[in-house]
Every structure is written in structure tokens, then in C-alpha cells.
């Protein structure tokens, strides 16, 4: 392992970039590998998305994030993180998925779709936007069922059913309705989610109240067919015409990757990975977590703004361990 990297970072999102910056500032050798494009999750956000956070709370590496409005858009964020990458000349390899991992006596051997790396330490900063939570109902495999949403124009004049009542679901419902879609929402709870952006929540509630958007509360989607769906309501099954199902049911971290490293997960439904909150090191020596992946299925506990500090914690821990070994 004499020629091994000090750190291999898996994930080229904002937190992965922050880890690369922290490593570079301390003179550590590193590489960031990303299975998609730069900040891949942000790229796959809806075209017209506006962040809940203000721009300064999304900054990394001390580079100012200037946006037209206090809350930046997706396109502004993509440009910001691209410029940060250029500014620090980060060593990042895009479209390079991790395909295999081995733990050696002195570090890790990581195989990707393009090459093999040796690294003394690994940081997993893979986020949670890659694997959708499934409904597990008949017809979910039909091509009209979407777990990701990009642009509302595609759904103009279509019968659109939206599953869920949090930010993604509300954005889909409002944007497609404004393009002329006939929108129906299916919500397990009795009301619109409390985490919905405060400037959007009155809009969706008023559209439902006036009947522009139909909402079935305390209900769930029961079955999907080519041109209709069944909704299980408190009063029984309701069948309505349907062209597209937008299953905004949330996403989950790549637990398969974490398990392949030997990271312990909690026995409850959260599947929370084991790690030290002071160093971010997992139960596997030399393996660290950064960003939203730390929360397991509790994907609402970590954001860019409150996990940026993970980068400096991890690099400090690695440096302290090197000092102790020497």
C-alpha cells in the first residue's frame, strides 16, 4: 500500500466535493469517483426546482454562492458546484461506478467500471437519490409509472396521479396542473405534509380546497393498469382514468454498497449505519460516512447545510490517526 491514495471518496455531490477540498487543503492524496455526472443527484432534480435553503448555506470550500434570489435554483446550483470544482482543480472521475470492494490488511482495494484503486481510507458520500422506495403493488412496473420528475410540459393534458404529499409530490401536482394536466393526489395521511415549503403549502391547499386538484387523504394506491388506477379509500376502492403515475415516495441510500463494506445497520426500519459522530468513522476502520447517507432511511435528518462539516471532521480524524501511527 505504499502507493495507495490517502483517501478515495465515493460520490461527487456537494458533500463529496467538500471532502475532496478538505483533503486537498491538507495535502492528502485523494480521488473522487462518481457513477454519474458532476453533482448527479442535483442534475436529476426537477428542471424548475428551487432549494429550501438560502445560497450561503449551500456553500462549500469558502467559495461564495451568489444567486439571483435568496433561494437558488437547480441551474444556479449546478453552475456553482461546477465552478467550485474548477476553482480547486479537484481530482474527480465521472461516470465511474464502484463495482467491487475488498478490505486489505492496510487499506482498501476498490474496483470501478474503469480501473482499480488502492486507498488507505474511504469516504462514502453517496447521498440517497438513486434508489426509489417502491409501492409494491400490481402494475408498478408499467412504463407509465415514474419515480423521478423532470419537466411539467411532458404531462400537459394528461390524467396524472401523484402519490405522496411532501415537497416533491406537491411540486409535481402544482406544476403539471398549471400545464393543463388533470391531477389527482393520493395521500396516506390526513393532510399535506408539514415539511412542504412554507411558500408552496398554501398554494396546494387552496387548489385542493377549490377542487382544481383532487386529493384522496387517508388513502393509498392499490393497483395500476394501462389506462386506469385503483385507489383504496376509507369508503372503498375508487377507480379513475389515468395516463401517468408519479410515485414521489422518496428514496433510500445504497445499502448494498454499505453492506459490501461491512458497515453495520440498525435492526429497525431506519437501517441507520453505525458511525462515530465525532469522527464519522464507521465500525469498519478507515471507512467514513459523509452527508445524507448517515441517516439511513431517515433521509430528512441530513442536508448539504448541516453535513458540510463532515468533510473537515473526517480529514481531521485521518490526520490524527496518521500522527498517532507515526
Amino acid at each position: 500500500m505504499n502507493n495507495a491514495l490517502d483517501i478515495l471518496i465515493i460520490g461527487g455531490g456537494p458533500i463529496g466535493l467538500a471532502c475532496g477540498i478538505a483533503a486537498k487543503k491538507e495535502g492528502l492524496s485523494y480521488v473522487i469517483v462518481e457513477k454519474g455526472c458532476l453533482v448527479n443527484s442535483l442534475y436529476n432534480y426537477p428542471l424548475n426546482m428551487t432549494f429550501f435553503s438560502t445560497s450561503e448555506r449551500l456553500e462549500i470550500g469558502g467559495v461564495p454562492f451568489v444567486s439571483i434570489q435568496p433561494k437558488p435554483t437547480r441551474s444556479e446550483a449546478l453552475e456553482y458546484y461546477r465552478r467550485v470544482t474548477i476553482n480547486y482543480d479537484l481530482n474527480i472521475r465521472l461516470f465511474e461506478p464502484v463495482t467491487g470492494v475488498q478490505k486489505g490488511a492496510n487499506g482498501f482495494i476498490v474496483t470501478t467500471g474503469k480501473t482499480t484503486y488502492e486507498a488507505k481510507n474511504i469516504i462514502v458520500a453517496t447521498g440517497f437519490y438513486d434508489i426509489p422506495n417502491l409501492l409494491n403493488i400490481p402494475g408498478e412496473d408499467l412504463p407509465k409509472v415514474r419515480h423521478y420528475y423532470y419537466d411539467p410540459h411532458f404531462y400537459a393534458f394528461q390524467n396524472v396521479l401523484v402519490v405522496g404529499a411532501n415537497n416533491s409530490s406537491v411540486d409535481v401536482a402544482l406544476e403539471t396542473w398549471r400545464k393543463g394536466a388533470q391531477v389527482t393526489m393520493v395521500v396516506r395521511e390526513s393532510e399535506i405534509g408539514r415539511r412542504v415549503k412554507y411558500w408552496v403549502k398554501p398554494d396546494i391547499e387552496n387548489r385542493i380546497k377549490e377542487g382544481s386538484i383532487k386529493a384522496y387523504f387517508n388513502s393509498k394506491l392499490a393497483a395500476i393498469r394501462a389506462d386506469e388506477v385503483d385507489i383504496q379509500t376509507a369508503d372503498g376502492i375508487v377507480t379513475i382514468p389515468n395516463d401517468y403515475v408519479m410515485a414521489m415516495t422518496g428514496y433510500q441510500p445504497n445499502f448494498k454498497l454499505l453492506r459490501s463494506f461491512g458497515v453495520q445497520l440498525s435492526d429497525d426500519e431506519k437501517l441507520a449505519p453505525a458511525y462515530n459522530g465525532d469522527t464519522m468513522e464507521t465500525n469498519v476502520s478507515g471507512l467514513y460516512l459523509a452527508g445524507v447517507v448517515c441517516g439511513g432511511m431517515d433521509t430528512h435528518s441530513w442536508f448539504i447545510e448541516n453535513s458540510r462539516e463532515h468533510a473537515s471532521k473526517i480529514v481531521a480524524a485521518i490526520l490524527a490517526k496518521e500522527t498517532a501511527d507515526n
Side-chain angles (χ1 to χ4, degrees):
M1 300 292 289
N2 293 334
N3 297 319
L5 294 163
D6 290 314
I7 306 173
L8 184 140
I9 302 162
I10 304 175
I15 303 306
L17 299 181
C19 291
I21 292 169
K24 186 164 188 173
K25 284 183 174 180
E26 295 296 339
L28 298 174
S29 60
Y30 73 95
V31 66
I32 305 170
V33 293
E34 164 59 52
K35 70 178 184 59
C37 65
L38 184 68
V39 290
N40 191 66
S41 292
L42 300 191
Y43 176 78
N44 286 308
Y45 281 178
L47 185 65
N48 301 319
M49 195 207 80
T50 298
F51 282 82
F52 190 91
S53 303
T54 54
S55 56
E56 68 270 13
R57 301 183 76 177
L58 302 176
E59 292 175 356
I60 59 173
V63 178
F65 186 171
V66 179
S67 59
I68 296 175
Q69 300 296 330
K71 292 176 170 49
T73 64
R74 165 189 171 275
S75 61
E76 288 175 322
L78 292 179
E79 181 60 15
Y80 170 73
Y81 292 115
R82 189 183 72 85
R83 296 295 300 181
V84 168
T85 303
I86 293 172
N87 183 72
Y88 280 98
D89 190 23
L90 292 176
N91 183 21
I92 184 167
R93 314 289 173 82
L94 301 174
F95 303 101
E96 190 169 331
V98 171
T99 58
V101 176
Q102 292 180 322
K103 183 71 167 69
N106 300 306
F108 301 87
I109 300 173
V110 178
T111 304
T112 71
K114 296 182 179 179
T115 188
T116 298
Y117 299 94
E118 292 182 308
K120 300 173 187 175
N121 303 280
I122 289 182
I123 302 174
V124 178
T126 49
F128 73 101
Y129 200 60
D130 296 325
I131 304 171
N133 296 322
L134 299 180
L135 297 167
N136 297 314
I137 60 174
E140 188 173 12
D141 57 345
L142 290 172
K144 72 173 189 173
V145 180
R146 311 288 173 85
H147 291 279
Y148 296 90
Y149 165 73
Y150 186 64
D151 177 44
H153 173 80
F154 182 87
Y155 303 98
F157 316 127
Q158 301 297 293
N159 292 309
V160 174
L161 184 137
V162 181
V163 181
N166 288 313
N167 280 301
S168 296
S169 304
V170 168
D171 286 345
V172 171
L174 288 171
E175 290 185 12
T176 56
W177 171 72
R178 289 197 162 94
K179 294 298 182 182
Q182 300 296 317
V183 177
T184 301
M185 298 184 73
V186 176
V187 183
R188 283 184 176 271
E189 293 75 26
S190 60
E191 61 183 1
I192 293 297
R194 297 180 181 180
R195 286 192 296 265
V196 171
K197 291 170 282 194
Y198 65 84
W199 65 92
V200 175
K201 197 167 187 283
D203 190 1
I204 188 63
E205 290 175 337
N206 287 332
R207 302 295 75 75
I208 292 171
K209 184 177 181 180
E210 71 187 15
S212 298
I213 293 175
K214 174 67 176 177
Y216 290 94
F217 292 100
N218 299 308
S219 302
K220 63 180 181 179
L221 191 58
I224 305 167
R225 293 181 291 278
D227 56 3
E228 62 184 12
V229 296
D230 292 338
I231 304 168
Q232 179 67 61
T233 73
D235 298 322
I237 292 289
V238 175
T239 301
I240 63 171
N242 174 259
D243 297 306
Y244 289 98
V245 172
M246 306 301 294
M248 302 291 103
T249 50
Y251 310 91
Q252 59 182 272
N254 189 338
F255 292 116
K256 182 179 179 181
L257 179 65
L258 294 180
R259 289 189 177 103
S260 72
F261 277 114
V263 176
Q264 295 175 355
L265 304 177
S266 64
D267 293 331
D268 57 16
E269 68 280 359
K270 289 187 177 181
L271 297 174
Y275 67 93
N276 182 321
D278 293 326
T279 64
M280 310 309 294
E281 189 172 22
T282 68
N283 59 285
V284 180
S285 179
L287 178 64
Y288 301 81
L289 302 182
V292 72
V293 70
C294 298
M297 289 297 293
D298 186 9
T299 56
H300 299 286
S301 58
W302 292 106
F303 308 92
I304 297 172
E305 61 193 61
N306 69 350
S307 59
R308 295 175 296 180
E309 65 179 21
H310 292 174
S312 56
K313 279 187 176 183
I314 294 169
V315 170
I318 290 172
L319 290 172
K321 190 181 288 189
E322 286 191 356
T323 300
D325 290 343
N326 293 331

